[in-house]
Amino acid sequence: MAVSPELEGLRCIAPSRFVSFSFPNPLLRDASNPYGDCGGGGGEFLRVAVLDSPHPVPPIPRTAAMLVPAGRHRDWIFSTRAGHLHLLLSSQFSRLILVGPELSAPSPRVISCAARPEPDPAHARLLPLLLALCPRAAFRDNIIPDVPLLSFQDDLLRLAPVKVVAGTVVGEMIIEDVAVYCAPDPAELRRRLRFKRMPCLVQTQVRLACQFPHTSATSLLEALEEGSGGSLLPQAGGSLVQPYLQAMVAGLAVIAPSIEESIQSGVRPRCLCAGVGGGSLPMSNRVGLQFNVLGIEADGAVLDVARNYFGLVEDELLHIRVGDAIQIIQDSVRQEGPDMKFSAVMVDLDSSNAMCGVSAPPLEMIHGSVLLAARTILHHQGVLILNVIPPPSDGSFYKSLIDVLHRVFSELYEIDVGNGGNFVLIATVSPIVTSLTGNSGYFLTELRKLAGDFLEHIRKI
């Protein structure tokens, strides 16, 4: 039987090679088929996608597979190379095989997200295919390799795509309403934003509430099922949903005495937010902390989404500019005067290079000249706060960033967000002379409402 050159090449690992093809469905009419009812997999063919690691491989490479969750075969996590790469880099395998419905198969409007049983009964029927897709080196010494069937798990109970929008800078993005598992508390309904170039990273997430009072969690789920989008309102400016944003806000505690003094004197602290996304961080700084906020976002389409779907509202204390945040920081150095100084510069920018995996901030941000510019636009008791996701392909990134921050700034603090990926770094212009935990006042009281217990996890490095 003739084999295509692409499949023939799978006998060895080739860094970053990606191949997808249709294959007769071995799960068809079998009880283990996860796609029979609503997952779009009632067809005679499945989509099989194979991606090899970009990293050097061991002499005996290991292969793993994953069944695409039912109904989510069009989700960019599973249908794009960027999403596939994130799954592979998170798995510690040399090759990852995704098996799911063809992308042309229909999917339900509201997707129920249920975990597959373990061990998965579909594994046995897929095993001949999976072994055939293992590289030849995996069979060294005539040993049949183990090809585990990995499970994809997140905290979603329901997922309902709302709209796909294209931006000139970020490309395609999707707005989704989701029901999130929050045990022991009731499930929450949230709206979130993701970019196609980095589909595994949730850019923005806000809670949704029904415009009618006394609505139960069950009623919220029913509103999602029924598509009652008009009755669900984003809760912008309140408590922050995403832990890394809570940690970024907590970083302001380092300069709490200075901010408290400013507030008591009647001067609103100024904050520059580099990266707006759906607007959660600038809105919380404006509404929750009463800061004067300047937000900078590279893509005007993202701002339209923030205004129309996430509750971003601009006023005399919240101004938004469209442009390159790093360039604007550098250009701001030429604008002299104490009134132009900021109490805080908060950087929430991710790398645009999806092939390096999820990472933040972009490499351009950590150049000494850019960090020096950020220091220059801060007042003498100001602080730079960075959301950091070290790239999985560069183990030295985080240490290098810490080294350059130590050279440019006076003191450096860290918060481990605790999700295995995010850190928040807080760099001060001047030495801190007051104990972080020994302060109280209006500002810290309001800050704790937004930052949770992250104030207790700030450590000097």
Side-chain angles (χ1 to χ4, degrees):
M1 182 177 67
V3 179
S4 70
E6 291 83 0
L7 298 183
E8 182 73 22
L10 293 176
R11 293 181 179 180
C12 62
I13 297 285
S16 300
R17 177 177 48 204
F18 177 77
V19 176
S20 66
F21 57 93
S22 295
F23 189 82
N25 187 353
L27 304 175
L28 194 63
R29 290 181 288 276
D30 187 82
S32 66
N33 185 4
Y35 310 121
D37 295 329
C38 60
E44 295 185 358
F45 291 88
L46 293 177
R47 175 182 180 265
V48 179
V50 183
L51 180 63
D52 288 344
S53 173
H55 304 319
V57 299
I60 303 179
R62 299 181 63 207
T63 298
M66 181 182 292
L67 274 175
V68 175
R72 298 182 67 174
H73 51 284
R74 293 181 176 178
D75 190 317
W76 292 331
I77 294 176
F78 308 102
S79 63
T80 68
R81 183 174 179 173
H84 198 151
L85 176 64
H86 178 84
L87 297 174
L88 173 59
L89 294 178
S90 302
S91 70
Q92 304 299 313
F93 286 84
S94 298
R95 172 174 289 174
L96 180 63
I97 305 165
L98 289 184
V99 180
E102 295 189 286
L103 300 185
S104 59
S107 59
R109 191 195 67 80
V110 178
I111 300 164
S112 294
C113 306
R116 291 285 296 165
E118 292 187 15
D120 197 317
H123 191 197
R125 296 192 68 87
L126 291 172
L127 191 55
L129 169 64
L130 303 182
L131 289 173
L133 293 174
C134 286
R136 184 179 298 165
F139 294 87
R140 181 171 294 185
D141 299 326
N142 293 321
I143 296 176
I144 297 177
D146 175 36
V147 186
L149 194 59
L150 307 179
S151 60
F152 178 83
Q153 296 179 341
D154 55 18
D155 56 0
L156 300 187
L157 298 172
R158 303 282 191 278
L159 186 154
V162 175
K163 189 173 183 179
V164 175
V165 178
T168 57
V169 177
V170 305
E172 288 185 277
M173 64 194 100
I174 186 167
I175 304 110
E176 302 167 312
D177 288 346
V178 297
V180 179
Y181 181 76
C182 298
D185 297 322
E188 288 186 353
L189 209 57
R190 300 176 184 173
R191 179 163 292 161
R192 66 184 196 174
L193 176 68
R194 294 187 294 139
F195 296 162
K196 187 176 184 179
R197 72 183 188 191
M198 207 165 288
C200 296
L201 181 65
V202 177
Q203 300 287 335
T204 296
Q205 193 168 193
V206 298
R207 291 183 178 88
L208 290 172
C210 191
Q211 62 179 316
F212 307 110
H214 311 300
T215 302
S216 67
T218 301
S219 299
L220 286 174
L221 289 175
E222 290 173 351
L224 179 61
E225 295 281 359
E226 295 168 3
S228 304
S231 66
L232 299 173
L233 303 176
Q235 302 300 290
S239 59
L240 292 161
V241 173
Q242 292 166 282
Y244 87 92
L245 290 180
Q246 296 175 14
M248 290 187 73
V249 170
L252 294 168
V254 171
I255 56 168
S258 170
I259 293 178
E260 184 73 34
E261 181 181 343
S262 179
I263 293 172
Q264 294 301 325
S265 66
V267 178
R268 292 183 185 270
R270 297 185 72 229
C271 175
L272 186 152
C273 292
V276 173
S280 294
L281 185 60
M283 283 291 289
S284 290
N285 284 339
R286 160 64 183 94
V287 177
L289 301 178
Q290 297 298 305
F291 278 19
N292 190 328
V293 180
L294 171 63
I296 304 173
E297 174 57 51
D299 198 322
V302 174
L303 293 177
D304 290 338
V305 166
R307 297 179 185 111
N308 295 331
Y309 293 94
F310 290 89
L312 175 66
V313 178
E314 297 151 80
D315 59 17
E316 70 279 2
L317 295 178
L318 175 54
H319 302 274
I320 303 294
R321 290 179 60 183
V322 177
D324 183 328
I326 295 174
Q327 187 62 53
I328 289 174
I329 288 173
Q330 293 178 296
D331 293 343
S332 297
V333 172
R334 295 189 290 270
Q335 300 177 15
E336 300 293 337
D339 291 342
M340 298 305 298
K341 299 285 187 176
F342 294 92
S343 296
V345 172
M346 309 180 81
V347 179
D348 185 17
L349 301 171
D350 59 70
S351 170
S352 60
N353 186 0
M355 290 302 103
C356 293
V358 175
S359 65
L363 292 176
E364 305 93 296
M365 184 66 217
I366 66 174
H367 289 166
S369 60
V370 176
L371 294 174
L372 185 59
R375 175 180 173 135
T376 303
I377 65 175
L378 290 164
H379 70 57
H380 70 283
Q381 292 184 331
V383 66
L384 171 69
I385 300 175
L386 291 164
N387 173 41
V388 182
I389 307 175
S393 59
D394 186 356
S396 65
F397 174 89
Y398 193 58
K399 182 181 183 303
S400 299
L401 175 56
I402 288 175
D403 289 343
V404 71
L405 285 169
H406 271 304
R407 290 196 297 270
V408 175
F409 288 86
S410 178
E411 293 183 356
L412 190 60
Y413 297 80
E414 178 193 67
I415 302 175
D416 185 344
V417 179
N419 59 5
N422 273 97
F423 297 88
V424 170
L425 292 178
I426 306 123
T428 67
V429 174
S430 303
I432 302 299
V433 296
T434 306
S435 169
L436 297 180
T437 58
N439 292 291
S440 60
Y442 167 81
F443 174 69
L444 274 181
T445 299
E446 297 303 309
L447 186 64
R448 290 183 188 279
K449 295 177 184 178
L450 295 177
D453 63 356
F454 279 111
L455 272 71
E456 317 306 323
H457 297 280
I458 302 173
R459 72 181 189 96
K460 189 175 182 180
I461 57 175

